[in-house]
Amino acid sequence: MAIRSRRRVAAFAAALLAVSLSACSGEEPTSDDLSGNRVGAMSDYGVNSQFKATEALNFSILYNNHPNYPLKNEWLFWSELTKRTGVTLQPTAVPLSDYEQKRSLLIGAGDAPLIIPKTYPGQETPFVASGSILPVSDYLDLMPNFKDKVAKWNLQPDVDQLRQLDGKFYLLPGLHEDVWTDYSLGVRTDILAQLNLTAPKTWDEVYTMLKAMKAAYPNQYPMSDRWSKPTPGGALFNFMSPAFSTNGGWGYRNDYWDASAKKFVFTGATDGYKQMVTYLNKLVKEGLLDPESFTQDDDTAIQKLATGKSFVISANAQELVNKYRTTMAETLPKATMVKIPQPAGPAGDVKAGTRLENGIMISKKARDSKNFVAMMQFIDWLYYSDAGQEFAKWGVPGTTYNKDASGKFTLAPDVDYVKLNPTATKHLQKDFGFGNGVFAYGGTTQLLQSTFSAEELEYQKAMDAKQTLPLAPPHPYEDAEAEQATLWETPLKDHVSQMTLKFILGQRDLSEWDAYVAELKAKNMDAYIELVNKAYDRFAKQRG
């Protein structure tokens, strides 16, 4: 492992001290001379100013092309954006299925567009060392709306999660006012009524509910799940794991923050992870959870639900309305289904989440553009101002939506979105380009919930009452540490994933758990966690 020189240590500590002081004030130090990069920029741009370039500008952007609303050049979004800002975006469209791979190839080849959105926290890290992307934290003085929301919503601890070893961050995240969660279990409420059951509030009650369903329908699995490709248990493990003091599925990380011990532990070897696996094994062993849940595709799982072969499935608000209820209406017209609040578990009535959304990387070459300042102002307006966020989500007043004096949004009568106007002939995303995941995320809780049904608002109210678990602190690696961690992380994660399924499906007996932990140790589990905690201790000490 490389040993840093005293000069490097001193320089790094000084840099972190400067960043720490600036973070406390919500400021980032900017020493760059940008006098030659202000063409098209506004001289009086500020919080909630309408950005309008002083001359017509064009910016390239990587575009995640979603199959549910494929890109159209004639969308009102494009023309109205240019009308309001003087900026024309030039999208490089990449299919959703290939987005991450194509993004990496373009950045690696130096061919990436200037603006690189739809990047989730952590996905920027591989591009930092090469210098391919900009340390955006150096330029926050150009982004008054971003800084305003971080200060107003006390988001600095969340944003600090993004800092790399140099104390800077390289991703402009989407910012939410509050933590919110969407995924949970979808449950057939007509079956609950038939069996005189109430919706479960804990995972023990979920077990009791599934047992009652199995007793009434002994020849089928009460629960058959989805969202297991490419990550087995992707959604289910992700939303159930906080209740077991662990993480899993889409949110699995080898390092789990033990807040009480104030250190990282290896996730796949913790008691909490074992409890979760043991619980799921019991469901499979007793015929309550379809073992194909971890290998079948989504369509197969939905078909089982729609034909009455299952009654419980992982859900989110949009799929509940657009897929489950719509499909069952054709095959089981008397069926009813709700999304229940995430059940409580051994860890209590808790939820996990961050207020950061996927965000934007900026290509390093943007810094040399004469329009750099204008581009940063434009991004700040579109992604972080109240007006820009409302525009990206809802569109044009009088055309796609209306808003009353109380701030309530309603879609135009002939426009639909998430089944709010199911008989409308036009669609907000497909026909106008608004509500687009490339541009519309983050914002106030009022804006977030403006498209929620009364039912979803009740769900969110129940979730708001839960205790939010603390965020894991940052632990950026030195270069040599990062290389070593990468060598260890993948084999460890793969072994956890494979053995998790074997334990759940009964292909490996849970009595072999200690042997499994020994296998993880043989794959450098202890050395890996020691490395993580060393990085955490160093960063915490240097940050003060």
Side-chain angles (χ1 to χ4, degrees):
M1 189 172 295
I3 300 175
R4 294 180 296 172
S5 68
R6 291 183 180 180
R7 179 179 297 177
R8 186 180 173 196
V9 170
F12 176 59
L16 282 175
L17 176 60
V19 171
S20 297
L21 292 173
S22 65
C24 292
S25 64
E27 299 284 337
E28 293 288 341
T30 302
S31 57
D32 260 352
D33 177 11
L34 299 172
S35 57
N37 308 90
R38 295 184 175 274
V39 176
M42 292 174 60
S43 60
D44 57 349
Y45 179 69
V47 175
N48 288 326
S49 297
Q50 170 61 55
F51 171 78
K52 186 65 180 284
T54 57
E55 62 178 63
L57 299 175
N58 296 280
F59 297 131
S60 58
I61 185 169
L62 192 62
Y63 183 86
N64 188 339
N65 202 4
H66 201 293
N68 289 354
Y69 44 95
L71 184 150
K72 295 179 182 178
N73 293 329
E74 63 270 22
W75 274 342
L76 179 61
F77 174 85
W78 304 117
S79 57
E80 186 68 22
L81 182 67
T82 300
K83 176 182 173 183
R84 295 189 185 199
T85 66
V87 171
T88 298
L89 288 177
Q90 299 170 322
T92 297
V94 177
L96 171 66
S97 58
D98 297 329
Y99 189 74
E100 291 183 23
Q101 181 181 11
K102 183 68 172 176
R103 180 182 60 200
S104 296
L105 291 173
L106 287 170
I107 294 174
D111 296 329
L114 299 181
I115 305 170
I116 310 169
K118 213 64 182 172
T119 300
Y120 286 85
Q123 291 181 341
E124 80 282 10
T125 302
F127 310 116
V128 171
S130 67
S132 304
I133 58 174
L134 205 65
V136 289
S137 57
D138 282 350
Y139 303 99
L140 296 188
D141 283 342
L142 306 178
M143 307 188 70
N145 288 291
F146 179 93
K147 289 174 62 177
D148 179 63
K149 283 183 167 53
V150 168
K152 187 164 53 181
W153 296 343
N154 191 28
L155 280 163
Q156 197 64 55
D158 300 68
V159 173
D160 283 345
Q161 298 275 310
L162 303 173
R163 295 190 187 278
Q164 302 290 330
L165 183 66
D166 58 6
K168 301 179 181 184
F169 56 89
Y170 292 72
L171 179 74
L172 288 169
L175 305 175
H176 284 287
E177 184 178 6
D178 296 302
V179 172
W180 72 285
T181 54
D182 189 2
Y183 289 80
S184 187
L185 292 178
V187 177
R188 281 271 303 272
T189 46
D190 57 309
I191 300 296
L192 293 183
Q194 175 192 326
L195 301 177
N196 198 28
L197 299 171
T198 57
K201 295 182 179 179
T202 68
W203 285 103
D204 284 344
E205 290 177 7
V206 170
Y207 169 76
T208 301
M209 172 191 73
L210 295 174
K211 285 282 284 186
M213 290 175 170
K214 183 71 174 181
Y217 296 88
N219 297 322
Q220 60 194 69
Y221 296 106
M223 180 174 176
S224 188
D225 211 26
R226 60 176 295 199
W227 282 315
S228 282
K229 290 181 177 290
T231 306
L236 178 62
F237 299 171
N238 190 47
F239 67 73
M240 76 180 295
S241 58
F244 289 83
S245 299
T246 188
N247 60 50
W250 292 332
Y252 180 83
R253 292 176 56 96
N254 284 324
D255 47 5
Y256 179 74
W257 176 245
D258 185 335
S260 58
K262 295 192 181 305
K263 66 178 182 178
F264 286 93
V265 293
F266 189 82
T267 307
T270 60
D271 290 341
Y273 197 85
K274 182 182 180 181
Q275 276 186 298
M276 181 177 74
V277 169
T278 302
Y279 176 89
L280 290 166
N281 167 261
K282 181 170 68 170
L283 297 190
V284 171
K285 187 161 54 177
E286 297 186 20
L288 310 181
L289 174 61
D290 184 355
E292 293 181 358
S293 295
F294 307 104
T295 54
Q296 66 191 359
D297 58 36
D298 289 358
D299 288 343
T300 300
I302 294 170
Q303 188 61 24
K304 289 177 180 178
L305 179 73
T307 54
K309 294 180 179 178
S310 67
F311 311 126
V312 181
I313 189 171
S314 291
N316 64 31
Q318 192 158 318
E319 290 294 281
L320 175 68
V321 174
N322 291 345
K323 283 277 179 70
Y324 304 161
R325 287 176 177 166
T326 300
T327 307
M328 288 191 298
E330 300 173 358
T331 55
L332 300 167
K334 294 183 179 180
T336 55
M337 172 171 266
V338 300
K339 181 181 66 166
I340 65 171
Q342 292 177 4
D349 197 16
V350 299
K351 64 178 178 180
T354 173
R355 292 182 290 167
L356 304 187
E357 253 287 7
N358 65 78
I360 303 161
M361 294 185 291
I362 305 295
S363 172
K364 185 68 175 292
K365 61 190 175 186
R367 169 60 187 82
D368 298 326
S369 166
K370 64 181 181 180
N371 307 126
F372 174 64
V373 172
M375 189 186 83
M376 298 301 284
Q377 291 177 346
F378 165 76
I379 291 171
D380 183 62
W381 178 83
L382 179 58
Y383 287 92
Y384 300 106
S385 75
D386 292 345
Q389 291 172 335
E390 182 175 318
F391 165 75
K393 189 177 185 75
W394 280 97
V396 180
T399 301
T400 58
Y401 79 102
N402 294 288
K403 187 167 81 167
D404 64 21
S406 69
K408 181 181 179 181
F409 293 84
T410 54
L411 286 164
D414 62 339
V415 178
D416 184 32
Y417 179 59
V418 292
K419 301 294 183 183
L420 293 175
N421 274 346
T423 60
T425 59
K426 300 174 184 176
H427 193 274
L428 188 67
Q429 294 171 309
K430 297 175 184 177
D431 298 309
F432 296 98
F434 298 106
N436 186 326
V438 176
F439 305 106
Y441 46 82
T444 64
T445 299
Q446 181 185 19
L447 183 65
L448 169 71
Q449 296 184 352
S450 62
T451 55
F452 288 0
S453 64
E455 175 187 9
E456 180 62 16
L457 289 173
E458 283 298 310
Y459 171 86
Q460 293 298 332
K461 183 178 179 181
M463 291 302 299
D464 286 345
K466 296 178 181 289
Q467 178 186 356
T468 301
L469 295 173
L471 294 171
H475 52 281
Y477 298 124
E478 295 179 354
D479 293 345
E481 290 173 337
E483 293 175 11
Q484 183 61 73
T486 300
L487 290 174
W488 287 337
E489 278 177 343
T490 301
L492 284 166
K493 183 176 181 180
D494 288 348
H495 194 65
V496 171
S497 179
Q498 292 164 12
M499 293 304 107
T500 294
L501 282 190
K502 285 184 178 295
F503 282 130
I504 290 172
L505 297 175
Q507 297 167 358
R508 185 173 188 180
D509 195 271
L510 279 161
S511 63
E512 296 185 30
W513 185 266
D514 289 345
Y516 152 72
V517 173
E519 291 158 10
L520 292 173
K521 289 177 180 288
K523 295 180 182 294
N524 302 295
M525 176 185 79
D526 291 338
Y528 167 76
I529 283 299
E530 183 181 352
L531 182 65
V532 172
N533 281 310
K534 177 184 175 183
Y536 158 66
D537 289 338
R538 178 181 60 232
F539 197 67
K541 185 176 181 180
Q542 290 168 331
R543 289 297 304 278

